[in-house]
């Protein structure tokens, strides 16, 4: 969602800010802006892409050694220049903000009574005027920022500059991520590490309630209680090269193609030490021995990974597992169990709903927590007692692909490790599972070779308005993920069901205009699935079947079949999701959509 970049340096920071915003474009936004302090406050804002903001900044000769920039995803107020960040107060204070201020209406009324005029519909403008109201009494920007945030209710990551203090940058966070980048005699600010990788890899992450006072001479951090605080810095492993598009038409296409390498990198550590508790942290052996159940919390694509994990954990480790939509979990009465392992899954590690669900679970007395995430420095890893870092690399396309398949690998390793700790993993299964993981990257590469056939299917799907996805058992979540991918980027209405549920309602939708995709591996449920598909065929439905070589599906009129590489047993879900990603991608391309930036969606959802 919204992105923040800030910088204070002895050089012109405008190119740094613009480059940072470009690197955050994948997060989703509808407007962008920049504020520079240089003999006063200069602000430039625009609707649309960062390239338009860059052109405007160049035409207006904007430059300076201190500045903040922002890409906005509309929440309070429509996308417009007036609502775009930065917001300012009386040509003195400028603010950018991620998050939602819940008491903004109350604060707006109080500030209007003080004579402040509001030009936007946003909650953020309240922050600018609030900081100014405090600053005007003592002219101390750090103090004014601390006083202002104490009055805010909700979530925020903010950056503040002042026309009267041309080498000072203030930052504060609560509920939204924010980090400080450390250069040589220059300092930076961002909501995402990827924004800064062209200028520094040395970064520190602000904790909840922190306020950072940043100048050319260094930085000082105070915690939520207003006391001086020290935060450890990290060296980011992100690289500029991994964020480049290269020969691909879209980042999503690139990231689908990168899956064999991403899976191989994620599997490497597992193959090195086997299904050992140390995969998940130094204290994992004690934690995993104590747990008697698993609760998985996640949203969107990560939730579908959690649904697959439920099948694996119960089948392999023989302990109960439930998978919950994180955004719903904390709003219902659940039954706490201190011996439950709470597993959170998040590509970014900053997903607001998942973080809130984790916090709620811990407050309920669940002290065993494990984060599966793609970002080493993320909030969800820092707030969990155990973690597994997937090695998917930067994922820029909004529709998650390689993050999903590497999450599945991590969850499979968790299931097998729990089984080993509990003494229910046989030596034969241990060896068989490790060998399956070793083969998996090559098997996924073979699936990618099916792309020309999926492009033919996409030609047909691009003409449709609806689609139905079917799967059984552990492949039902894969049908859900295929449906989500098609919805996200092609804007075709799609639904997914367990195939056995067809006759309980969805069959009423089936006609010649409704393509039906079936995930049909050769497993114990294949014959039942075939019976379900006959129900579709009998009603004139058009079937698109992803079948294994030995599934005995034959292509005929009304039945289109793509044969997968040899079945990979229990890891089949990892293979079967890849063609569904390709189908969605090529369908969206045929429809002329902006694949990497689908409408109304953002990569990292950092507000509820």
């Amino acid at each position: 969602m919204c992105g923040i970049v800030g910088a204070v340096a002895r050089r012109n920071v405008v190119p740094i800010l613009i480059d940072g915003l470009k690197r955050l474009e994948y997060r989703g936004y509808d407007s962008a802006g920049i504020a520079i302090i240089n003999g006063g406050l200069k602000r430039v804002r625009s609707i649309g892409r960062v390239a338009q903001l860059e052109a405007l900044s160049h035409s207006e000769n904007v430059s300076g050694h201190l500045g903040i920039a922002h890409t906005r995803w509309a929440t309070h107020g429509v996308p417009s220049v007036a609502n775009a960040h930065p917001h300012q107060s009386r040509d003195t204070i400028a603010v950018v903000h991620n998050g939602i201020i819940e008491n903004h209406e109350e604060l707006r009324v109080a500030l209007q009574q003080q004579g402040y005029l509001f030009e936007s519909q946003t909650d953020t403008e309240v922050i600018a005027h609030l900081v100014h109201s405090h600053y005007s009494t003592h002219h101390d920007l750090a103090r004014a920022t601390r006083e202002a945030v104490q009055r805010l209710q909700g979530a925020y990551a903010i950056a503040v500059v002042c026309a009267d203090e041309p080498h000072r940058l203030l930052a504060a966070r609560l509920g939204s991520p924010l980090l400080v980048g450390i250069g040589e005699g220059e300092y930076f600010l961002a909501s995402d590490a990827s924004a800064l990788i062209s200028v520094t890899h040395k970064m520190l992450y602000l904790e909840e309630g922190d306020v950072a006072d940043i100048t050319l001479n260094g930085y000082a951090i105070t915690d939520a209680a207003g006391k001086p605080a020290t935060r450890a810095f990290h060296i980011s492993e992100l690289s500029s090269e991994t964020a480049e598009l290269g020969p691909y038409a879209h980042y999503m296409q690139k990231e689908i193609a990168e899956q064999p390498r991403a899976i191989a990198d994620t599997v490497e550590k597992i193959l090195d030490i086997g299904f050992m508790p140390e995969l998940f942290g130094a204290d994992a052996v004690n934690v995993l021995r104590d747990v008697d159940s698993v609760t998985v919390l996640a949203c969107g694509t990560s939730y579908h990974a959690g649904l697959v994990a439920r099948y694996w954990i119960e089948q392999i480790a023989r302990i109960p597992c439930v998978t919950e939509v994180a955004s719903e979990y904390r709003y219902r009465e659940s039954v706490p169990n201190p011996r439950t392992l709470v597993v959170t899954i998040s590509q970014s590690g900053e997903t607001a709903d998942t973080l809130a669900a984790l916090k709620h679970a811990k407050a309920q007395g669940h002290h065993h927590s494990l984060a599966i995430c793609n970002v080493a420095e993320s909030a969800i890893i820092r707030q969990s007692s155990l973690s597994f870092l997937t090695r998917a690399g930067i994922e820029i396309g909004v529709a998650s692909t390689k993050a999903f398949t590497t999450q599945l690998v991590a969850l499979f390793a968790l299931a097998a490790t729990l089984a080993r700790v509990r003494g229910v993993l046989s030596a034969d299964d241990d060896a068989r599972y490790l060998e399956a993981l070793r083969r998996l990257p090559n098997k996924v590469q073979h699936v990618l070779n099916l792309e020309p056939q999926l492009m033919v299917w996409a030609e047909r799907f691009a003409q449709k308005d609806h689609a139905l996805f079917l799967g059984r058992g552990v492949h039902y979540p894969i049908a859900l993920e295929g449906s989500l991918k098609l919805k996200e980027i092609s804007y075709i209405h799609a639904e997914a069901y367990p195939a056995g549920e067809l006759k309980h309602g969805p069959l009423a939708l089936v006609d010649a205009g409704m393509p039906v995709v079936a995930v049909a591996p050769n497993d114990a449920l294949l014959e039942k699935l075939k019976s379900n598909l006959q129900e579709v065929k009998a009603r004139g439905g058009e079937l698109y079947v992803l079948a294994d070589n030995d599934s005995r599906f034959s292509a005929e009129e009304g039945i289109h079949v793509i044969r997968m590489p040899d079945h990979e047993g229990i890891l089949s879900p990892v293979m079967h999701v890849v063609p569904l990603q390709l189908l969605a991608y090529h369908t969206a391309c045929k429809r002329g959509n902006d694949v990497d930036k689908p409408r109304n969606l953002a990569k990292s959802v950092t507000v509820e």
Side-chain angles (χ1 to χ4, degrees):
M1 205 157 268
C2 310
I4 289 174
V5 188
V8 55
R10 292 180 173 84
R11 54 174 163 158
N12 180 20
V13 300
V14 172
I16 297 170
L17 299 177
I18 294 294
D19 178 72
L21 291 186
K22 287 180 177 179
R23 294 180 185 276
L24 295 180
E25 285 190 289
Y26 73 93
R27 294 170 69 98
Y29 69 104
D30 44 50
S31 60
I34 187 171
I36 296 294
I37 305 299
N38 187 1
L41 173 58
K42 175 66 176 179
R43 180 175 58 161
V44 181
R45 299 178 294 174
S46 69
I47 300 298
R49 297 303 178 204
V50 173
Q52 294 170 255
L53 176 68
E54 182 179 27
L56 277 172
S57 300
H58 185 266
S59 66
E60 296 187 24
N61 297 314
V62 178
S63 66
H65 295 171
L66 171 66
I68 52 177
H70 192 265
T71 49
R72 175 182 185 254
W73 180 263
T75 51
H76 293 80
V78 299
S80 67
V81 170
N83 288 331
H85 298 215
H87 289 284
Q88 67 182 43
S89 181
R90 298 184 179 174
D91 298 323
T92 302
I93 300 293
V95 171
V96 292
H97 163 228
N98 288 354
I100 293 177
I101 304 304
E102 295 171 358
N103 62 333
H104 70 99
E105 292 180 349
E106 168 192 333
L107 291 170
R108 179 183 288 251
V109 170
L111 289 162
Q112 286 173 330
Q113 290 173 350
Q114 293 179 39
Y116 287 96
L117 299 177
F118 284 79
E119 300 176 350
S120 76
Q121 301 167 296
T122 70
D123 55 338
T124 302
E125 192 177 1
V126 162
I127 304 173
H129 293 315
L130 193 58
V131 172
H132 183 274
S133 71
H134 289 284
Y135 182 78
S136 63
T137 66
H138 47 63
H139 298 281
D140 182 334
L141 187 61
R143 179 180 168 188
T145 302
R146 283 193 292 267
E147 290 170 343
V149 298
Q150 288 172 4
R151 297 177 62 185
L152 301 179
Q153 297 173 13
Y156 59 80
I158 63 172
V160 185
V161 293
C162 176
D164 299 333
E165 302 196 32
H167 299 104
R168 201 172 196 185
L169 173 62
L170 267 293
R173 68 147 297 193
L174 183 71
S176 290
L178 203 58
L179 61 95
V180 177
I182 304 166
E184 295 294 330
E186 56 187 14
Y187 296 87
F188 312 96
L189 195 67
S191 52
D192 188 313
S194 62
L196 302 182
I197 55 177
S198 65
V199 289
T200 185
H201 282 74
K202 187 175 181 180
M203 304 172 186
L204 64 87
Y205 288 76
L206 299 181
E207 300 292 342
E208 293 286 85
D210 280 357
V211 176
D213 184 359
I214 306 164
T215 70
L216 288 172
N217 297 320
Y219 57 88
I221 299 172
T222 54
D223 63 17
K227 297 179 180 179
T230 300
R231 304 299 179 214
F233 67 81
H234 305 266
I235 303 300
S236 176
E237 297 180 3
L238 299 178
S239 68
S240 298
E241 291 74 19
T242 56
E244 300 300 330
L245 187 58
Y248 297 94
H250 301 93
Y251 281 107
M252 183 178 179
Q253 183 186 32
K254 175 177 183 277
E255 288 151 11
I256 291 172
E258 287 173 342
Q259 286 178 110
R261 169 50 54 194
I263 292 170
D265 289 345
T266 303
V267 163
E268 183 178 12
K269 183 178 179 182
I270 304 169
L271 296 180
D272 283 346
I273 68 172
F275 299 117
M276 300 296 290
E278 289 76 15
L279 286 170
F280 304 96
D283 194 41
V285 63
N286 296 321
V287 171
L288 298 186
R289 280 176 179 162
D290 186 54
V291 303
D292 62 6
S293 61
V294 178
T295 294
V296 181
L297 305 174
C299 298
T301 286
S302 296
Y303 171 70
H304 296 156
L307 290 174
V308 174
R310 179 183 180 185
Y311 286 91
W312 282 341
I313 289 169
E314 295 197 343
Q315 176 183 345
I316 299 171
R318 310 303 301 162
I319 60 173
C321 178
V322 296
T323 300
E324 302 246 14
V325 176
S327 58
E328 292 291 319
Y329 170 71
R330 68 191 182 112
Y331 295 112
R332 71 172 183 83
E333 291 292 331
S334 57
V335 180
N337 174 7
R339 296 186 64 193
T340 291
L341 176 66
V342 176
V343 179
T344 52
I345 313 172
S346 170
Q347 183 274 327
S348 68
E350 306 291 350
T351 307
D353 289 315
T354 307
L355 282 166
L358 173 59
K359 183 178 180 180
H360 175 73
K362 291 164 77 171
Q364 293 282 92
H366 296 109
H367 53 275
H368 297 323
S369 58
L370 165 66
I372 292 175
C373 182
N374 191 42
V375 181
E377 307 93 344
S378 64
I380 209 161
I381 283 186
R382 298 198 305 274
Q383 294 176 25
S384 301
S385 52
L386 305 178
S387 65
F388 186 100
L389 183 66
T390 58
R391 304 193 66 84
I394 295 176
E395 189 179 68
I396 291 176
V398 166
S400 181
T401 52
K402 62 179 180 173
F404 177 73
T405 48
T406 54
Q407 286 169 354
L408 290 180
V409 168
L411 291 161
F412 181 79
L414 174 62
T417 302
L418 281 167
R420 183 170 187 154
V421 168
R422 292 170 56 80
V424 296
L425 182 66
S426 70
D428 286 346
D429 281 344
D430 190 312
R432 182 164 57 90
Y433 293 162
L434 287 172
E435 182 58 28
L437 285 174
R438 186 176 287 108
R439 292 194 302 262
L440 190 58
N442 189 50
K443 288 293 184 74
V444 171
Q445 184 60 58
H446 285 311
V447 176
L448 291 172
N449 296 336
L450 301 173
E451 188 167 10
Q453 298 176 61
L454 289 154
M455 292 172 70
V456 174
W457 281 16
E459 291 273 5
R460 298 170 179 266
F461 274 71
Q463 309 304 315
K464 305 296 185 180
D465 296 317
H466 308 277
L468 192 62
F469 288 72
L470 302 176
R472 296 210 67 151
V474 72
H475 293 89
Y476 165 53
I478 299 305
L480 283 167
E481 177 61 11
S483 167
L484 177 62
K485 284 291 156 284
L486 194 68
K487 278 184 279 206
E488 283 181 308
I489 60 171
S490 76
Y491 315 143
I492 292 172
H493 170 245
E495 299 285 349
Y497 283 90
E501 286 294 290
L502 265 176
K503 54 186 169 291
H504 296 290
L507 201 58
L509 298 172
V510 173
D511 60 19
M514 171 75 83
V516 179
V517 180
V519 182
N522 189 9
D523 60 14
L525 291 171
L526 178 62
E527 294 306 318
K528 289 189 177 295
L529 177 63
K530 284 183 176 181
S531 297
N532 302 141
L533 299 187
Q534 285 299 322
E535 295 175 317
V536 173
K537 186 179 177 184
R539 280 126 181 114
E542 194 90 355
L543 278 166
Y544 295 80
V545 183
L546 293 171
D548 289 334
N549 275 325
D550 53 357
S551 293
R552 299 183 304 281
F553 270 103
S554 299
E556 57 185 80
E557 186 175 354
I559 302 179
H560 311 277
V561 179
I562 290 179
R563 300 200 178 279
M564 298 282 289
D566 292 340
H567 186 52
E568 197 44 75
I570 201 165
L571 285 170
S572 174
V574 182
M575 295 174 59
H576 276 81
V577 77
V578 176
L580 300 181
Q581 296 169 349
L582 288 167
L583 175 62
Y585 170 74
H586 285 292
T587 301
C589 289
K590 296 294 182 185
R591 290 167 70 98
N593 294 348
D594 189 344
V595 174
D596 289 331
K597 302 182 185 70
R599 68 190 184 201
N600 304 334
L601 299 179
K603 182 64 177 174
S604 181
V605 183
T606 55
V607 296
E608 286 193 78

